[in-house]
Amino acid sequence: ADAPATVIGAISTHAGDAGVLEHGCMTVACLAAGFGNAGTRRDVLMDAGAVEIVLNGMDAHADDADVAQWGCWAIARLATGMSNVAGRRSRLREAGAHARVLAAMVAHPNHAGVARAGEEAVRYLASGSAGAAGASGNAVFTAGRSGGGAGRGGRRRRRRGW
């Protein structure tokens, strides 16, 4: 079966369910990770609509830290690799991925998983694009890390990021 299309279809069908979206973003991140033919999988995911589904889901469930964390990981993994990476990063930036990641980091400043995944996503999105992260990215990183002693806090922290 065509895993990317199946995953994107399932997320689309159940976009109102934060749990489905969280696990869908996690699946997108896992499919986009790794080596070998991961570049091809990333391109297939992008062509299947992964960017739009992930970003729209992050908007719809902006108050859910788990959706934010796995949405950021999905964006980070789609922005990695060697083959066609510049094209994927450009598409992600044009779709507003950078702003959505920063918004997630601001919305969940004491959630270590969101901070880690968000930093990774911004780093990859900024690679190869002078000034893409800009001063606002640095301000968000500072704000996200200044939560007092929250450490690994955050609502419903069930798993660790990568």
Side-chain angles (χ1 to χ4, degrees), residues 42-90:
R42 291 178 191 113
D43 290 336
V44 170
L45 284 161
M46 299 277 288
D47 291 343
V51 175
E52 295 77 13
I53 292 296
V54 169
L55 295 180
N56 290 339
M58 289 175 75
D59 283 336
H61 301 284
D63 61 333
D64 191 304
D66 295 322
V67 170
Q69 175 181 347
W70 287 103
C72 288
W73 278 123
I75 291 165
R77 295 301 170 240
L78 289 169
T80 62
M82 301 296 281
S83 65
N84 194 28
V85 68
R88 282 195 310 277
R89 287 177 181 163
S90 178

Side-chain angles (χ1 to χ4, degrees), residues 139-162:
V140 170
F141 294 149
T142 303
R145 294 293 184 175
S146 64
R152 294 184 181 210
R155 183 179 72 76
R156 298 187 310 141
R157 179 122 171 97
R158 293 185 301 241
R159 343 173 169 58
R160 294 178 188 227
W162 292 346

